Amino acid sequence: MSEIDVVILAAGKGSRMKDNLPKPLHKVAGLQMLEWVCRAVRKIEPKNIIAVQAPNEDFSSYADETVVQNEQLGSANALQTAFSKVQAEKIIVINADMPLMTDQSLMDLVDTGEGFDAAVLATTLKTPFGYGRIIPIGDREVVEQIVEEKDATVEQRTIKLVNSGVYLFKTDYIKRAIEAVKTDNAQNEYYLTDALAGAKIVQARDWRDLLGVNTQQQLAAVNKIARKRINNQLMTNGVTMVDPATTYIDANVVIGTGTIIKPGTVIEHDSVIGADNEIGPYAHLREKTVTGIDVHIGNFVETKNARIGDHTHIGHLTYVGDAEVGQAVNIGAGTIFVNYDGKNKHMTQVGDRAFIGSNSKLVAPVTIAAEAITAAGSTITDDVPKHTLAIARQRQTNKADFWKRMPHEDFALNYDKKNQ
């Protein structure tokens, strides 16, 4: 296969998103859209990945090279801006707002486009609103013309074959052809599509790979598809999901075989969940949660930056943040790992087989040794040695005949009257 450079067009303003975040940095399943695109193109082993960015942006951590498009003059101008960095015989051009793109679709473009000066990924949509329409030459799978929707006639808008904005070019060809591109269109921009006459039309296997994002509604739609793909792959690998539709797993999450995920669970990026765990319902495992085998994390438990050992049980209503928890630990309901002092985060360590009583507060930095116990309702501020019971709460005081001094009596009497 010829060497290929990839040019990612990432300089668009994204004004229809109606927020202040650069469009390529909006997240889909926990990853920026630009990172999704880079992951897909890396799998085809390009020589170079070049991101075209706006003057006030810096995408150098995503791509091998970056270039700045100083004025938004259209896709052809954006590609021209990148020519100084292009060295390979061929170029793939792709937009930064296509997080569902797969390496398989890109390889189909490369393979089917072999021998042509240009090729375009295309698909047929029942409702092609917003997409440029591809007009083929007769029944041949070759482009006669690509018309942007704003420039299309009423008849042309009935065409269902649409342009994805993903192209393969021979470098020598596109450097020549782009010189002839004009701005005589509704946008007064240099359209790259004007250099695609005669291009090979490559039908995508899955139309969803080609979905772009221009609005918050479209962002939500591709999020739903991405998460469904993630969940399906995890279930294929042996993870049980009671209700995949209400299970939200980010990219960069690893889950072991035999683990059961219950409804309402969220597991965020860079988390590693071991085999045979039981998670949820309504658990929130934030970034960098790592569990061993046979761990139970129950309903309304939140974790973050926590390593949790084998056979540990965290039943419900608990926060475990910035922690190292050993094996076979029981953490009672309502426990809080108090990790933040208003400026810095601090670590809590809990040893093997420790028993943390319900409603304990573990004020970090603190260490609970192996086989130590905290009494229910305690606020632990000092280390607890092995085999020790720590009690940190005020001794109970009972005050006799206190009932009539409180408003509870009136409530009880009113209840009794209503139910006589």
Side-chain angles (χ1 to χ4, degrees):
M1 185 175 72
S2 303
E3 285 189 337
I4 296 174
D5 282 339
V6 174
V7 176
I8 302 175
L9 306 185
K13 293 179 180 178
S15 56
R16 282 183 283 173
M17 299 298 292
K18 302 292 181 68
D19 61 21
N20 296 320
L21 185 66
K23 186 170 71 167
L25 300 186
H26 284 79
K27 289 185 177 180
V28 171
L31 280 183
Q32 293 86 356
M33 291 196 290
L34 180 55
E35 177 59 24
W36 278 108
V37 173
C38 288
R39 287 185 174 203
V41 301
R42 283 192 195 103
K43 290 180 180 178
I44 67 169
E45 299 181 348
K47 183 176 181 180
N48 224 8
I49 300 175
I50 305 157
V52 181
Q53 61 190 33
N56 58 339
E57 295 167 356
D58 181 9
F59 298 147
S60 57
S61 62
Y62 299 90
D64 301 319
E65 303 269 6
T66 59
V67 294
V68 175
Q69 185 183 19
N70 289 305
E71 295 183 78
Q72 307 299 304
L73 300 177
S75 54
N77 175 255
L79 179 56
Q80 269 187 313
T81 303
F83 281 161
S84 61
K85 302 288 186 179
V86 172
Q87 300 176 10
E89 299 173 33
K90 294 183 178 180
I91 306 171
I92 284 178
V93 180
I94 184 171
N95 294 314
D97 62 358
M98 302 181 71
L100 302 179
M101 179 55 59
T102 63
D103 57 306
Q104 184 60 65
S105 283
L106 293 171
M107 284 306 303
D108 287 346
L109 177 65
V110 172
D111 293 342
T112 308
E114 183 66 35
F116 289 81
D117 287 332
V120 53
L121 263 180
T123 192
T124 301
L125 296 179
K126 292 181 180 178
T127 307
F129 177 78
Y131 286 86
R133 309 305 203 274
I134 297 177
I135 303 171
I137 299 174
D139 58 359
R140 296 168 57 193
E141 295 181 346
V142 174
V143 172
E144 176 181 320
Q145 185 183 9
I146 298 178
V147 183
E148 297 299 327
E149 184 167 89
K150 290 184 179 181
D151 300 302
T153 64
V154 173
E155 182 180 356
Q156 287 170 337
R157 291 183 185 185
T158 64
I159 296 170
K160 308 296 186 184
L161 183 64
V162 301
N163 173 31
S164 69
V166 183
Y167 314 116
L168 173 72
F169 295 109
K170 288 183 179 178
T171 303
D172 290 343
Y173 163 78
I174 191 57
K175 284 185 174 180
R176 294 192 309 272
I178 211 167
E179 296 294 335
V181 174
K182 307 297 182 184
T183 60
D184 51 350
N185 53 66
Q187 298 286 91
N188 292 316
E189 292 183 351
Y190 294 96
Y191 289 167
L192 193 51
T193 49
D194 290 347
L196 283 156
K200 175 66 176 175
I201 300 170
V202 181
Q203 284 275 1
R205 301 187 191 193
D206 188 337
W207 62 269
R208 289 167 292 194
D209 293 357
L210 311 188
L211 290 176
V213 173
N214 289 303
T215 65
Q216 297 289 349
Q217 291 86 345
Q218 290 171 347
L219 181 66
V222 299
N223 253 298
K224 188 173 182 179
I225 295 168
R227 292 191 184 281
K228 185 174 182 179
R229 288 180 174 182
I230 290 168
N231 288 358
N232 283 341
Q233 186 59 57
L234 287 169
M235 289 187 286
T236 298
N237 294 342
V239 175
T240 297
M241 293 186 187
V242 176
D243 182 12
T246 59
T247 301
Y248 307 94
I249 313 295
D250 278 355
N252 281 11
V253 170
V254 177
I255 303 180
T257 300
T259 288
I260 300 171
I261 311 292
K262 294 183 177 180
T265 294
V266 177
I267 305 179
E268 295 184 351
H269 60 92
D270 297 327
S271 292
V272 179
I273 310 306
D276 299 317
N277 282 209
E278 184 175 331
I279 310 295
Y282 304 106
H284 184 187
L285 279 56
R286 292 166 59 194
E287 68 274 10
K288 297 181 181 178
T289 294
V290 179
T291 70
I293 62 171
D294 185 36
V295 172
H296 174 74
I297 297 178
N299 50 308
F300 304 107
V301 171
E302 181 179 347
T303 64
K304 189 268 295 182
N305 190 31
R307 301 187 68 89
I308 301 165
D310 300 348
H311 315 301
T312 286
H313 190 285
I314 308 172
H316 34 268
L317 302 166
T318 289
Y319 173 65
V320 180
D322 298 297
E324 294 206 6
V325 180
Q327 297 184 13
V329 174
N330 185 85
I331 298 179
T335 295
I336 298 174
F337 284 54
V338 186
N339 57 333
Y340 184 49
D341 63 9
K343 182 178 181 180
N344 299 306
K345 298 291 181 74
H346 301 279
M347 293 292 297
T348 296
Q349 293 183 315
V350 180
D352 296 345
R353 297 177 298 284
F355 188 96
I356 308 301
S358 294
N359 201 33
S360 290
K361 311 294 185 295
L362 309 181
V363 182
V366 70
T367 298
I368 313 299
E371 299 175 355
I373 304 167
T374 68
S378 292
T379 299
I380 304 298
T381 58
D382 297 321
D383 293 351
V384 181
K386 186 174 182 177
H387 291 172
T388 299
L389 168 64
I391 306 174
R393 61 190 184 207
Q394 188 174 13
R395 186 176 296 277
Q396 180 174 323
T397 300
N398 291 342
K399 295 182 179 293
D401 298 321
F402 208 78
W403 171 259
K404 293 183 179 181
R405 296 172 59 182
M406 298 297 290
H408 305 86
E409 182 181 25
D410 291 340
F411 177 82
L413 291 172
N414 288 335
Y415 177 83
D416 290 342
K417 289 178 182 178
K418 289 179 180 179
N419 290 278
Q420 285 178 348

